[in-house]
Amino acid sequence: MQFTFAHYQESADFLRTKLGDFQPKVAMVLGSGLGYLGDVVENPIVVPYGEIPHFKASTAPGHKGQLVFGTLAGKPVAVMQGRMHHYEGYSYEEVSYAVRVLRLLGCDTLFVTNAAGGVNWKFKAGDLMLITDQIKIFMESPLRGENLPEFGVRFPDSSYLYTPALQDLARQQARKLDMDLKEGVYMYFPGPQYETPAEVRMARLLGADAVGMSTVPEVITAAHCGMEVLGFTLVSNLAAGVLPQPLSEEEVLEAAAAAREKFSKLLLSCLEAL
Ligand code: HPA
């Protein structure tokens, strides 16, 4: 189905009834096993996705499926604890639906996080990567269908999807925290099966540093509606074929749990420095 502007407005109006005069500025999408930051939001207003008109459930492991509004590092935030993925059966429009709703609520910045497989030979499991750009070749766009001009133009520029000034801010904060922050290009694969070793070799040849099953649709949608974007990948494992061993979901969640402290430090310090 194609959503109209009225659908997005209906979702935003419903959320406004929960928020009173609270006005979020930074939307945060927390990926696999990274949702804990939503638990430390101050003065939280929690709204399960199931209560929000037109929202879909988040069924992936490690994804709670709720919005948490409140204050984090002194900033008014809207935290998505869990996201929707295409592999759950949702269209790309549905996957990125919430981004537009949060835009209508006043968010002008999006922080996205994910867990992904490391493709770059220099990466190791547990590394954090600043996303500098993305590659999408195996999916239709979340913007497919009639354009909604209330959000943006028909043919949006994609030269700076990840806001250069926010990338600089992240580099500065990593330096301040004496933290090793890798950088690279995130390439989207729809999943849910992990990539084959041949696909990973292809991704590397095409310029990817990490491969994953999320983020790309939300970032296209966010940039279309004029949001600034900062993205981080937790390299939860080396991608298929890099090491002579199979990948597992447990490995991904364990790596996310292990990186939790350093990841949250970096995110909070970026938020604070905004
Ligand atoms: N591939 C795709 N998605 C992922 C991976 C991976 O290796 N690890 C965590 N999410």
Side-chain angles (χ1 to χ4, degrees), residues 32 115-118 189 193-195 211-213 236-240 247 252:
S32 294
F189 281 79
Q193 75 287 355
Y194 291 116
E195 301 72 29
V211 288
M213 307 175 195
S236 56
N237 56 280
L238 294 178
L247 311 186
V252 171

Side-chain angles (χ1 to χ4, degrees), residues 32 87 114-119 186-187 189 191-195 200 210-214 234-240 247-249 251-253:
S32 294
Y87 66 69
N114 59 57
V119 168
Y186 177 93
M187 182 167 180
F189 281 79
Q193 75 287 355
Y194 291 116
E195 301 72 29
V200 170
V211 288
M213 307 175 195
S214 68
L234 164 67
V235 178
S236 56
N237 56 280
L238 294 178
L247 311 186
S248 77
E249 188 179 306
E251 173 185 26
V252 171
L253 293 178

